[in-house]
Amino acid sequence: MKILGIIPARIGSKGVRKKNIKLLNGKPLISYTYEDAKNSKQINRLIVSTESKEIKKVCTRLGMDVPFLRPSTLSMDDTPTIDVVKHAIKEMEKNGEYYGAICLLQTTTPFRHKNLIDSAIKQFKIKNCDSLISVQKVPNKYHPNWTFQPDGNGFLHRNKHQGRLVSRRQDLDYVFYRDGSLYLTATKTIKNHSDLYGNKIAFIEHKPVFHVNIDTNTDWEKAKKYSRTI
């Protein structure tokens, strides 16, 4: 199975201006994800999807593959990621390149465990699944069994998704959240379901030394601190 690696990078960003190419400890943020992915032995081709000539110029200078510019209509604040992925697949197929799956790698989660990408792809190829995502364990204090929802009348009710009432930490079920570091999805799943998940979702537990998903300037400062120690 051939794997297409896609790094999406648009120029607009409300939280941190031009964050995808902003220098983090001396190098563009996108470089961290690119350097992780370019060393993969499992990704057959790695591309950057952007609408920006400025980002393309930076990426090309750093040796990245930017085979097309996507339409600006696919680079808005509310543009679904799946639409960006579908566009990339279509552009590659126009040139006669067909891939069994895509590996989506977001620049906003720059710090990944060294072997995450190849370990995930190997698992994906073995398992009969629609997708595989990187996850981390939900801290107990945020466990859905211990969350409440306001009812609009000034009262709280147990979260409707929490199921049975659990009193002891030791009895909490294992639950995970997607950490944004990696999404692997079969191309047929993308085309048939128009999402990154499908019905059968496998996972790899990600335990990086540092993790941040950059959305705000506070996140950026945290990432800057982490980057100095890696």
Side-chain angles (χ1 to χ4, degrees), residues 3-228:
I3 307 293
L4 175 65
I6 302 175
I7 303 175
R10 68 188 184 97
I11 197 66
S13 174
K14 288 184 177 179
V16 181
R17 186 173 179 272
K18 294 186 178 181
K19 66 184 173 187
N20 288 314
I21 54 174
K22 184 175 179 178
L23 296 184
L24 180 67
N25 197 22
K27 61 183 183 180
L29 178 64
I30 196 171
S31 295
Y32 290 84
T33 295
Y34 171 68
E35 288 169 6
D36 282 344
K38 76 174 182 178
N39 294 319
S40 168
K41 294 179 174 61
Q42 297 292 322
I43 292 177
N44 297 93
R45 185 171 179 182
L46 175 65
I47 67 169
V48 174
S49 171
T50 185
E51 87 292 1
S52 167
K53 292 181 180 179
E54 182 179 359
I55 288 181
K56 180 176 181 177
K57 183 177 180 181
V58 171
C59 290
T60 302
R61 176 170 52 82
L62 295 171
M64 300 181 205
D65 185 358
V66 190
F68 55 80
L69 288 176
R70 70 178 190 246
S72 58
T73 52
L74 290 178
S75 301
M76 311 301 288
D77 289 338
D78 59 353
T79 299
T81 301
I82 187 63
D83 289 350
V84 174
V85 172
K86 288 166 68 176
H87 174 264
I89 291 172
K90 185 176 180 180
E91 288 296 312
M92 301 308 286
E93 290 183 351
K94 279 183 182 177
N95 293 321
E97 293 190 36
Y98 295 85
Y99 296 87
I102 65 95
C103 180
L104 180 71
L105 301 163
Q106 299 183 124
T107 62
T108 48
T109 52
F111 309 124
R112 296 172 180 82
H113 187 276
K114 182 179 179 181
N115 298 315
L116 175 70
I117 295 173
D118 280 357
S119 295
I121 294 175
K122 287 176 183 177
Q123 284 193 41
F124 178 81
K125 287 180 175 180
I126 292 171
K127 295 182 177 180
N128 181 26
C129 58
D130 295 327
S131 63
L132 183 149
I133 61 175
S134 59
V135 299
Q136 294 188 42
K137 186 178 181 293
V138 174
N140 286 335
K141 64 181 179 178
Y142 300 127
H143 197 284
N145 282 113
W146 288 353
T147 59
F148 297 85
Q149 291 180 308
D151 64 3
N153 296 313
F155 296 98
L156 294 175
H157 296 278
R158 285 170 47 201
N159 188 313
K160 62 183 178 182
H161 300 297
Q162 70 179 232
R164 63 190 176 91
L165 180 63
V166 177
S167 301
R168 301 193 318 148
R169 171 182 55 81
Q170 296 88 339
D171 295 329
L172 291 171
D173 293 326
Y174 239 57
V175 292
F176 299 100
Y177 69 94
R178 57 179 185 176
D179 75 350
S181 298
L182 175 145
Y183 298 83
L184 271 162
T185 312
T187 303
K188 63 180 180 181
T189 297
I190 293 168
K191 291 182 176 181
N192 294 339
H193 294 267
S194 198
D195 68 26
L196 291 172
Y197 303 100
N199 297 320
K200 198 171 183 181
I201 307 168
F203 68 94
I204 183 169
E205 189 169 1
H206 189 205
K207 297 181 179 180
V209 177
F210 302 109
H211 181 263
V212 62
N213 197 329
I214 302 172
D215 187 47
T216 66
N217 283 309
T218 299
D219 298 329
W220 182 269
E221 290 303 314
K222 187 185 296 183
K224 187 158 63 173
K225 178 182 177 181
Y226 291 164
S227 69
R228 295 192 186 110

